[in-house]
Every structure is written in C-alpha cells, then in structure tokens.
Amino acid sequence: MEGRSAVDDAALGREAWSVLDANRAGAATVPAPGLYPHQWNWDSTFVAIGVSRCDTRRAGTELLSLLAGQWRTGMVPHIVFQQGRADAYFPGPSVWCSQNHPDAPTGVLTSGLTQPPLHALAVWWMWRHAKDREEARALVRELYPMLVAQHDYLAASRDLGGGGLAAIVHPWESGMDDSPVWDAPLDALTPVPQAYRREPFPDHPLNGHHDRYVWLALRYRDSGYDAAYLREEHPFAVEDPMFNGIWLASCQALAELAPLAGADPGPHREAAERIRAALLERLWAGDAFHALDLRAGRLSPVCTVGCFGPMLDPGLPADRVAKLVSVLESARFMGAAGYPVPSCEIRASQFDRSRYWRGPSWVNTNWLLRQAAVVHGLTGLARLLGACTLRLVRQSGFRECFDPFDGSGRGSRDFSWSAALTLDLLADNVEK
C-alpha cells in the first residue's frame, strides 16, 4: 500500500498487542471489556489464530481456557462466563442455568448454545506456525480429544435435517447474530412475551427480534438442552453455509493433526467428504450457497458473507469456486464497496451499512475469505482482502466492524479479534 513502511507495520503490531493485553482477563481474552466482558467462543478462537505466529503458548492457553467450558456431550459453549462478572451481561448465567445440567462442567458457568467449530483449524494454524515444535506438539495432543468430542457432538446431535450438515438452533450460534438470513425463521415464530429486554447498547439497538432470541434460548434451556427436543420440537433450525464450511475445514484440519496425536486421520477425511457432498446437494443455489430453513423447508433468498463459507474447502469443485468468486467480486459485494466485504449483499432490501451483520464489513469474515482465496490459489483476491482489511484498521482502529463504503468504525472500540487478526495479516505482509 502506498506510503506504508516496516515502521508503520511495527507500530500497528504494537497497538494490536496493547489491545489484546488490555482485554485479557486471566487466561482468556474478552472481546471488549465494556460491552462483552466474558469469553466468547468464536472471538477467542480468532484471538488464538491471530497470536499463533508470535506466541504459541498464549494461543494454546486461550483455547484451553475456552475448552474448560466444554460439556460432556462435546458441545463447546458460545460463552464461558468470567467469575465475579455474572451480572455484567444479559443473558447471563442465571438465564442459562448450566450449573443445573449434569453434562455441564463443574465450577465453570457457560451458556447452552455453541458457535462455529473453528477450533481445529485454529489448532492446526498454531501448529503450522509454531517455532517451538515440541511445545506445539504437546498442545495438539492435549487439545485433540476435545476437538474430536466437539465434532462428534455436531454429528450426533445437530444433524437435524438428516442430510449430513449441522443445524444451528439460534441466531447466536452463527456468530453473525443480526444477519437478515434469520429474519424469516424468526418472523415465523409464535408471538412471544415482551420480556427479558435489555437496554440498547451504542450502535447495537434493540430490534423486534430480541425477545425471540431470548425466548428461543429459554425454550431450549427448559427442555434440559435435550437433543431429541431439538429434532422434534425446537422451532428454529437452520443449516448455515458458513457454520458448515468452517466445520468442513476443521475436519480437514483434524485429519492433519491426527498423526501428531497418534490417531487415524481417515475418519476426519471421510467426514469432510460427507459435509462437502451435503453442502453441494442441500445448500447450493446456482451461484452461491444459501442457508436452509429446515422448519420452512426453503433456502434463504438473501445472499450474505456467510454464503461464501464453503470456499474454505480446498476440495470444492472449481466451477463452484469460480461462480462464488464472480458473485463476491461483483457489484453485489466487493465491486460496489470501498472496503470489503459487506456482510450482506448491497442490492438486498435488508442491506443497512450501519446495522450489525446487515451491511458492515468485519475483520474476521475478511480473514476467513482471504484464507479461502489462499487455499484455491487466488493470489490477487487474497492480497486485496488482506490489504483492504489492514487499510480499515489503519484508518479507523481496531473496531468491531466498519462501514463498507467509507471505512468508518462501528460498534466497540479496541475489539480483540480485529487486533489479533491484524497481527496475522501483518505477519504475511499481504500488502506487498
């Protein structure tokens, strides 16, 4: 990028580390202390990826801290609550009641939902970039059984459609909470009581769906977090292409990690092949992958950044990759945005440049799409995504998300995954 120097990179790297150190709470890194004071699943996994090149031990500690909240079923919760901060966020431990469930960990309070299973890919990233190979090998051996248990949980309890994909049972499980993809499934729910409201946070206003979010969580909790209830009664069940694309990539990562743990990589490769076949059969809609609402039996008409998640699969057929790239580079997404990648296609009626996951660009999804470009040898696209993401943080800081047209920051300041993934992008010198 014009005007950039190694000094600029070093200064940005120091700023990123300062954010991560300030946001550290014991062994975990919280997303943003004011708004998000606990450990979030997806966030911590991106933090582990971001620090892996410089600090293998910290990456491993981050993941082990998160996985201390893993349930005996193998489910990795989307929030692990910090001790002494129970009332600092709603819904907190008193809503989830994990302490009353026999499968929940003892002495650790968690939510009852999960998030995209990026963890095996993060461990593989850590192993790939570790300077101390013995330290990294020991971490892989310690983490591997937990990762296998997580994947077994998804296969056993979340294939609600019977076609080989994992279903999310709440928008919070997607990591992209307010995406317009969830509008139709939420609007179809029976009207729910206007209860459990929270005060709106800056840049994150209450909307008509928030009560439904809480109601869905309470219904699942009141079932005893029962897998049979999810299959037979739970009203929200969606096969999300980003969630399943990440699951497939993590299956492939597990196949690479298995020999380090003295295990057979074969089952993980077979799982990846099954997920790929199911994605192509169930979610492909001609030019992109779309989320499938299992209760309504139809694909979402809205194309979002999540529709490109299966590109993380190096085995995705070349013709499908070409079509996805065509959409990504078109005026629907990157072609009309100054700062890629908008979280919703710009031409959609639901697009809103100021609302979470309805338009703003995010460092984490940019990083994922950059990684997808790398695995398919799309060097120019990878370079562009990396350079534009670094331009965002140079211009507006480590914000939670960014306006896709002018690059101004949105949401929380000093956001952990934005800082951590900046470190990874700087390590690759993607702007050169």
Side-chain angles (χ1 to χ4, degrees), residues 220-285:
Y220 186 29
R221 179 202 68 186
D222 291 345
S223 78
Y225 298 111
D226 180 48
Y229 159 80
L230 291 181
R231 287 192 299 274
E232 298 164 8
E233 298 182 46
H234 192 66
F236 185 102
V238 178
E239 293 176 352
D240 174 44
M242 179 63 83
F243 190 104
N244 283 282
I246 287 172
W247 187 21
L248 194 163
S250 278
C251 287
Q252 292 167 324
L254 274 180
E256 296 295 322
L257 296 170
L260 299 171
D264 180 7
H268 305 307
R269 294 197 180 101
E270 293 168 5
E273 291 170 3
R274 288 195 298 270
I275 296 168
R276 179 186 304 123
L279 280 165
L280 291 167
E281 178 183 351
R282 297 173 67 80
L283 304 191
W284 182 253

Side-chain angles (χ1 to χ4, degrees), residues 80-283:
V80 175
F81 292 102
Q82 294 289 309
Q83 296 293 336
R85 301 295 306 276
D87 297 326
Y89 185 84
F90 180 85
S94 62
V95 172
W96 299 104
C97 299
S98 66
Q99 69 276 13
N100 298 331
H101 198 282
D103 288 328
T106 302
V108 181
L109 298 175
T110 79
S111 71
L113 300 172
T114 192
Q115 276 191 324
L118 188 63
H119 312 81
L121 184 62
V123 175
W124 174 79
W125 199 259
M126 178 189 70
W127 165 254
R128 174 186 173 189
H129 295 292
K131 295 179 176 61
D132 186 333
R133 306 301 282 176
E134 286 309 308
E135 179 181 46
R137 190 186 304 273
L139 281 167
V140 168
R141 288 173 175 166
E142 184 174 4
L143 289 161
Y144 180 82
M146 306 177 200
L147 302 174
V148 172
Q150 177 193 37
H151 285 229
D152 288 347
Y153 163 77
L154 294 174
S157 300
R158 290 304 188 91
D159 184 8
L160 306 183
L165 298 179
I168 63 170
V169 299
H170 196 290
W172 289 334
E173 293 198 316
S174 70
M176 299 181 284
D177 306 355
D178 300 324
S179 171
V181 171
W182 323 130
D183 288 356
L186 289 169
D187 289 341
L189 300 180
T190 303
V192 300
Q194 300 295 304
Y196 298 102
R197 288 188 175 274
R198 64 176 174 180
E199 289 299 314
F201 293 114
D203 292 324
H204 197 172
L206 270 174
N207 57 53
H209 288 150
H210 184 262
D211 291 325
R212 286 173 165 80
Y213 289 175
V214 178
W215 182 72
L216 281 170
L218 293 175
R219 284 200 59 169
Y220 186 29
R221 179 202 68 186
D222 291 345
S223 78
Y225 298 111
D226 180 48
Y229 159 80
L230 291 181
R231 287 192 299 274
E232 298 164 8
E233 298 182 46
H234 192 66
F236 185 102
V238 178
E239 293 176 352
D240 174 44
M242 179 63 83
F243 190 104
N244 283 282
I246 287 172
W247 187 21
L248 194 163
S250 278
C251 287
Q252 292 167 324
L254 274 180
E256 296 295 322
L257 296 170
L260 299 171
D264 180 7
H268 305 307
R269 294 197 180 101
E270 293 168 5
E273 291 170 3
R274 288 195 298 270
I275 296 168
R276 179 186 304 123
L279 280 165
L280 291 167
E281 178 183 351
R282 297 173 67 80
L283 304 191

